[in-house]
Amino acid sequence: MSTGRTADLWWKNAIVYCLDVETFLDSNGDGIGDFNGLTERVDYLAGLGVTCLWLMPFFPSPNRDDGYDVTDFYGVDERLGSLGDFVVFMRAAKDRGLRVIVDMVVNHTSDRHPWFRSARSSRKSPYRDYYVWRDEPAEQPDAEPVFPDAENSIWSYDERAGQYYLHHFYAHQPDLNFVNPAVREEIAKIAGYWLELGVDGFRVDAVPFLIEMGGTGVTEMDLDPHAMLRDLKAFMTRRRGDALLLGEVNLPHKDLKTFFGGSRGDEIQLLFDFPLMQAMYLALARRDARPLRTSFKRMPDVTDEGQWARFVRNHDELTLDKLTDAQRQEVFDAFGPDGSMQLYGRGLRRRLPPMFDGDEARIRLAYSLLFTLPGTPTLFYGEEIGMGENLDIDGRVSVRTPMQWTDGRNAGFSTARPSRLRRPLVEGRFGPLAVNVAAAERDSDSLLNWMERAIRRRRETPEFGWGEWSLLDTDHNAVFAHRCEWEGRTVLAVHNLSDGPLEVEVDVGGGDGASVQDLLDADGSVQSLERGMLQLTLEGYGHRWLRLQGEDQRPTP
């Protein structure tokens, strides 16, 4: 791992905040969030301390899949504003020092996209080969649709086209054919367009489906599967040297490293670590750190440019597909025992606070792990105040409810009639009457104010983002402890996953005279080590961030 600071690698110490424009703030009273509303809240986001905004799809769409069914990759959905409104938002974000990345949803298009409409009209259409067609698709029992509740095959027959077309997701989202050079050129044009408008990069949706044709019966792959990612990265680097690709790649650790580009590091720079996230939930369910320790040990080193993206909750279902059936059931039993809380038999459609029954200490423990595990923390909007989900909303979008700004009408999200809201609000103990930004800002002990302090301290502790990591031995299975070293400095993080207090001994290493400074304690208290051993008292779900001080060093201010 590289230990030198490189100015262009801004994602190494970033705090990413994911939001959906249409559920953030409605400026015109039509019940749908928009770019003008988002612009009004840029100061709130800057004040929170996040450094990079990730915008979920805002492109023109029939919205049969919450905007992931795109009809125009070069525009803004008119419900959310205009391209001019987007530019105004970008200027406001840049003025506050915020970077912006946007979703790149190019695995498929909407079936209403002009490309597909042309493609299905004639086999001579210039867009016919933008998609994958077959007269009779081969039986591929291992090729299952991503959404098995809605589709029973990855192929659908189109009467007008007279052939079957490929779709790994919904039937109304035909897959693009990346074997076709014209498609790859089009993707580069899309990237170049948004880079020119000031975005700092892209979160690439469903990356494995862009490059793998396995299970489809398609055998004429004359393209190196990773060539498209290398070409896209090279194109973006030529346009802008610090442009980022954040990849959604839900694969085991042993397969993930290839998406960084191996030792070359010439593909995706930032990858979501799904295996460790799932191990974390198993560890939290068991109140036992060993699953997390095991996954941590399997985590491969990253490339010089590479980084892991950490998350507690994302915009999709909380997938647990890499756990065994028995392990997954443990997590279900702990955090989503009712069938209505589960999805596709593999994941949960809940937010963290309801899963933890509102236990503030346990919630803060999970986010302390998020901020200290080596990598780049990624937050989903509303996490900073402890929002819940609305299980009356079908499917994955139960967690994509309007942002809760106040305890007033429509949670301060919109002045529209409640029936016109994009989605209904959360109700009950995690709804806006109990959980909202205005109340949290007035409460010095609120999750929001804790989150602001934790984000500030995380940004001031770049070792967690840049450093070389290692596990630390402790005398309790419930305790997870690790260290990160960078440029001669070392930080430690110790977490108690159990609900009871513990006296913990941590083998930090180092000789007599060394000490640790508490980074979360307002007074920055200092504690000496004895023969490299650290003695700590941790409350139930307690956590400590510590900086190792040498024999001749004084505590940092």
Side-chain angles (χ1 to χ4, degrees):
M1 178 182 298
S2 174
T3 57
R5 180 188 293 272
T6 304
D8 283 345
L9 306 186
W10 57 267
W11 52 87
K12 287 277 191 173
N13 202 44
I15 309 290
V16 180
Y17 186 97
C18 172
L19 65 89
D20 189 348
V21 175
E22 68 178 6
T23 56
F24 206 62
L25 185 67
D26 170 20
S27 71
N28 59 7
D30 65 356
I32 300 170
D34 46 51
F35 273 105
N36 287 337
L38 176 56
T39 302
E40 289 182 32
R41 289 294 185 261
V42 166
D43 284 328
Y44 164 79
L45 294 167
L48 180 60
V50 299
T51 61
C52 176
L53 306 182
W54 157 22
L55 306 186
M56 292 170 64
F58 53 80
F59 315 105
S61 165
N63 270 290
R64 298 180 66 188
D65 184 24
D66 202 30
Y68 284 87
D69 48 333
V70 177
T71 57
D72 179 6
F73 292 108
Y74 298 95
V76 172
D77 193 306
E78 61 181 10
R79 300 171 311 121
L80 310 182
S82 66
L83 197 57
D85 295 330
F86 172 83
V87 171
V88 171
F89 154 72
M90 288 295 299
R91 180 180 177 84
K94 297 298 182 181
D95 282 349
R96 278 70 168 185
L98 294 169
R99 295 182 182 269
V100 178
I101 63 174
V102 303
D103 254 302
M104 178 180 281
V105 191
V106 292
N107 170 263
H108 50 252
T109 69
S110 166
D111 60 2
R112 301 183 192 178
H113 195 290
W115 297 346
F116 190 73
R117 287 182 167 178
S118 174
R120 66 193 293 258
S121 67
S122 169
R123 297 195 183 201
K124 296 181 180 179
S125 165
Y127 296 103
R128 185 73 169 197
D129 287 339
Y130 272 44
Y131 301 90
V132 181
W133 302 91
R134 290 293 176 270
D135 291 326
E136 292 291 339
E139 291 293 330
Q140 299 290 333
D142 294 334
E144 297 180 352
V146 173
F147 304 127
D149 65 326
E151 306 292 343
N152 56 23
S153 173
I154 61 173
W155 295 96
S156 286
Y157 187 75
D158 185 83
E159 293 285 351
R160 187 172 182 186
Q163 284 186 304
Y164 291 86
Y165 63 90
L166 178 68
H167 60 86
H168 278 93
F169 293 78
Y170 294 110
H172 60 80
Q173 293 171 327
D175 282 10
L176 286 166
N177 175 20
F178 290 96
V179 177
N180 184 349
V183 171
R184 301 197 299 275
E185 290 175 9
E186 194 72 50
I187 302 312
K189 289 179 185 177
I190 293 167
Y193 176 82
W194 292 106
L195 288 173
E196 285 297 316
L197 289 180
V199 306
D200 296 276
F202 305 91
R203 176 264 185 184
V204 188
D205 187 51
V207 176
F209 294 103
L210 299 181
I211 65 174
E212 296 292 345
M213 302 298 283
T216 66
V218 178
T219 59
E220 64 272 24
M221 279 292 284
D222 56 357
L223 175 72
D224 177 351
H226 285 263
M228 180 203 146
L229 294 177
R230 288 196 297 271
D231 291 347
L232 179 60
K233 168 68 161 44
F235 171 84
M236 290 172 54
T237 300
R238 290 193 299 271
R239 291 293 184 94
R240 185 173 159 176
D242 64 347
L244 171 69
L245 287 175
L246 165 59
E248 181 191 37
V249 185
N250 182 14
L251 291 174
H253 275 141
K254 63 183 177 61
D255 301 318
L256 273 172
K257 189 169 184 177
T258 60
F259 287 83
F260 285 121
S263 60
R264 301 178 309 276
D266 55 359
E267 295 183 31
I268 295 173
Q269 300 107 309
L270 190 56
L271 284 172
F272 286 113
D273 190 348
F274 283 91
L276 190 132
M277 177 275 294
Q278 297 182 43
M280 181 184 74
Y281 272 95
L282 180 61
L284 291 168
R286 291 178 175 177
R287 297 181 172 88
D288 186 325
R290 283 175 291 184
L292 185 55
R293 289 175 62 89
T294 298
S295 184
F296 194 92
K297 290 176 183 177
R298 293 173 179 166
M299 188 172 62
D301 288 337
V302 297
T303 60
D304 286 350
E305 290 192 7
Q307 182 72 300
W308 297 112
R310 303 289 174 207
F311 62 104
V312 166
R313 163 80 260 178
N314 65 8
H315 66 285
D316 247 329
E317 86 272 10
L318 185 65
T319 184
L320 303 166
D321 63 326
K322 297 299 180 287
L323 301 180
T324 67
D325 290 345
Q327 291 170 341
R328 188 180 309 112
Q329 191 59 51
E330 286 186 69
V331 181
F332 283 168
D333 291 343
F335 302 135
D338 191 287
S340 67
M341 301 171 178
Q342 303 163 17
L343 199 61
Y344 312 133
R346 70 188 181 212
L348 292 166
R349 59 191 203 98
R350 309 192 72 195
R351 282 184 180 253
L352 188 74
M355 285 196 284
F356 286 0
D357 196 30
D359 188 325
E360 194 81 7
R362 203 176 191 189
I363 292 168
R364 295 183 186 192
L365 167 76
Y367 287 106
S368 177
L369 283 167
L370 170 73
F371 291 128
T372 59
L373 285 168
T376 299
T378 304
L379 291 165
F380 187 46
Y381 78 94
E383 283 189 289
E384 71 273 20
I385 58 172
M387 276 175 56
E389 73 282 340
N390 187 337
L391 294 175
D392 290 334
I393 304 173
D394 290 337
R396 300 173 296 155
V397 295
S398 60
V399 301
R400 304 181 205 171
T401 56
M403 181 66 177
Q404 296 168 193
W405 296 105
T406 72
D407 61 1
R409 178 183 175 90
N410 297 326
F413 163 73
S414 173
T415 59
R417 296 192 308 272
S419 61
R420 295 190 63 197
L421 294 186
R422 175 67 180 101
R423 290 198 186 89
L425 293 161
V426 176
E427 298 180 350
R429 60 187 293 207
F430 300 102
L433 293 180
V435 176
N436 64 77
V437 172
E441 287 179 332
R442 295 191 297 268
D443 180 0
S444 61
D445 293 326
S446 68
L447 179 63
L448 174 62
N449 277 298
W450 178 89
M451 194 78 77
E452 288 179 357
R453 293 191 296 271
I455 289 172
R456 181 171 62 250
R457 180 57 75 189
R458 171 61 179 77
R459 291 178 60 184
E460 293 169 351
T461 315
E463 293 90 341
F464 287 129
W466 285 84
E468 196 161 341
W469 57 79
S470 59
L471 282 170
L472 298 176
D473 291 330
T474 76
D475 56 348
H476 285 283
N477 289 333
V479 175
F480 180 81
H482 72 284
R483 62 188 285 163
C484 294
E485 302 173 66
W486 181 63
E487 293 193 343
R489 295 180 296 178
T490 301
V491 292
L492 322 170
V494 186
H495 293 83
N496 175 15
L497 274 62
S498 74
D499 57 357
L502 293 174
E503 297 289 335
V504 183
E505 186 175 71
V506 183
D507 186 357
V508 175
D512 292 336
S515 62
V516 292
Q517 178 190 25
D518 195 314
L519 297 177
L520 296 182
D521 183 359
D523 296 327
S525 59
V526 176
Q527 179 177 340
S528 297
L529 304 182
E530 296 183 10
R531 298 181 304 278
M533 303 301 292
L534 173 63
Q535 307 290 332
L536 290 175
T537 299
L538 293 174
E539 297 298 322
Y541 304 129
H543 54 274
R544 303 282 289 278
W545 302 8
L546 306 162
R547 184 179 298 284
L548 185 63
Q549 308 283 349
E551 184 177 23
D552 57 350
Q553 291 178 314
R554 295 183 179 180
T556 56

